[in-house]
Amino acid sequence: MAKEIVKKAKLQFPAGQAKPGPALAGVGINMPEFTKAFNDKTKDRGSEPVPVLITVYKDKSFDFKIFTSPASYKLTQAANVKKGSAIPNKTKVATITLAQLKEIAEYKLPDLNTTNIESAMKQIYGTAKQMGILVEGYDEWLKKGTN
């Protein structure tokens, strides 16, 4: 028989640096147990932000699933900027290459709602556009159809 789910919480912590605190207190789990397991599982990911989905069961046990870092984080890294544009339709903050876009799309593929790399690239391009980051060669690639 399946365990009864009491709560699901989606949080984000720096890789290998989760600590007991207010964010975890509201979830209702054994905080030291979670932070140790999370930190062990993410210690090889540097200090990047790691989204996590925590599922809490009626017997107070829990499971968690970690996800890839946000596309916006990967784009700011690739573009070597601190943040996106405040007015993306008017002010562009950086330019990345099509190869960098594809690399980010391949990284994010497990967490996207597609298994097609071209569709993933289009999704990541949408995020880049909303951040005021241009993608060099994207329009030509789009006209060709595939890469």
Side-chain angles (χ1 to χ4, degrees):
M1 193 164 144
K3 292 182 181 181
E4 185 181 336
I5 296 172
V6 175
K7 187 177 202 173
K8 286 189 176 191
K10 192 159 190 180
L11 303 171
Q12 184 171 286
F13 299 102
Q17 299 173 33
K19 297 180 189 122
L24 280 173
V27 179
I29 59 172
N30 180 330
M31 291 187 277
E33 185 181 333
F34 167 78
T35 56
K36 182 177 179 347
F38 176 87
N39 292 342
D40 288 345
K41 205 169 188 180
T42 61
K43 65 183 171 204
D44 59 334
R45 291 176 63 174
S47 62
E48 67 185 32
V50 179
V52 60
L53 176 65
I54 305 169
T55 304
V56 185
Y57 300 103
K58 193 172 187 174
D59 65 358
K60 298 287 185 192
S61 64
F62 65 90
D63 289 327
F64 67 94
K65 179 181 179 197
I66 59 172
F67 297 93
T68 56
S69 294
S72 57
Y73 174 79
K74 296 306 254 183
L75 286 163
T76 54
Q77 268 191 326
N80 202 22
V81 292
K82 287 191 184 235
K83 62 181 185 173
S85 174
I87 312 167
N89 59 334
K90 294 183 181 177
T91 309
K92 304 301 178 196
V93 293
T95 302
I96 63 170
T97 66
L98 193 60
Q100 288 173 305
L101 179 76
K102 186 174 184 178
E103 186 180 311
I104 294 168
E106 288 169 344
Y107 170 79
K108 289 292 296 174
L109 202 56
D111 292 343
L112 297 177
N113 62 356
T114 184
T115 56
N116 180 312
I117 190 65
E118 286 83 18
S119 296
M121 288 173 70
K122 289 175 184 178
Q123 288 182 33
I124 303 302
Y125 172 76
T127 303
K129 187 176 178 181
Q130 291 299 314
M131 294 176 68
I133 298 173
L134 297 172
V135 180
E136 203 173 87
Y138 181 80
D139 292 330
E140 293 80 18
W141 172 78
L142 200 55
K143 285 177 189 168
K144 274 197 260 181
T146 58
N147 189 354

